[in-house]
Amino acid sequence: PCNLTGWWENDLGSKMQVFNVDNDGTFSGEYHTAVSSTKKPIQPSPLIGSQHLDEDGQCTFGFTVNWKKFSDSTAVFVGECFKGDDGKEVLHTSWLLREKVDSEPDDWKATR
């Protein structure tokens, strides 16, 4: 089965460390983003998630990152773990980021 525990890096140079996946699929870790629109210095941010543990090893998962140390935004990621022909595990994800806005009329521009 796919093991999310450890370090992962994406195409933009952001890194994620998953500390441990419990028997029920719950995990926590830190996300080290390489990209941000804030002017504050980027810092590692906590993540918490859940992995669907399939017997065939190709599992889906999701996690939330709270950028509270340097931004007023939260991101959610969903994805699936694949094993390539070389046996290497690869994660494919999609994400949504919600930024804080000052008023309800600005809601339209708050989610990317």
Side-chain angles (χ1 to χ4, degrees), residues 10 31 61-65 75-82 91-97 112:
N10 72 12
Y31 201 94
F61 59 89
F63 59 91
T64 301
V65 180
V76 293
F77 294 75
V78 292
E80 187 168 350
C81 180
F82 296 93
L91 307 181
H92 285 262
T93 62
S94 296
W95 57 270
L96 288 172
L97 180 126
R112 291 192 258 165

Side-chain angles (χ1 to χ4, degrees), residues 27-103:
F27 62 90
S28 64
E30 279 189 335
Y31 201 94
H32 302 247
T33 188
V35 295
S36 174
S37 61
T38 183
K39 293 179 172 55
K40 295 180 183 177
I42 295 173
Q43 296 184 44
S45 299
L47 69 84
I48 189 148
S50 182
Q51 176 181 5
H52 186 87
L53 303 171
D54 285 348
E55 295 196 14
D56 68 359
Q58 193 165 306
C59 61
T60 58
F61 59 89
F63 59 91
T64 301
V65 180
N66 185 336
W67 309 109
K68 65 183 176 182
K69 295 182 179 181
F70 66 94
S71 175
D72 289 334
S73 62
T74 302
V76 293
F77 294 75
V78 292
E80 187 168 350
C81 180
F82 296 93
K83 279 199 179 184
D85 293 336
D86 59 0
K88 184 178 178 181
E89 294 172 339
V90 177
L91 307 181
H92 285 262
T93 62
S94 296
W95 57 270
L96 288 172
L97 180 126
R98 177 67 187 215
E99 293 181 294
K100 179 182 168 186
V101 292
D102 294 327
S103 65

Side-chain angles (χ1 to χ4, degrees), residues 14-36:
S14 296
K15 297 177 184 173
M16 157 176 96
Q17 182 181 18
V18 175
F19 298 140
N20 186 40
V21 179
D22 294 342
N23 289 338
D24 66 353
T26 302
F27 62 90
S28 64
E30 279 189 335
Y31 201 94
H32 302 247
T33 188
V35 295
S36 174

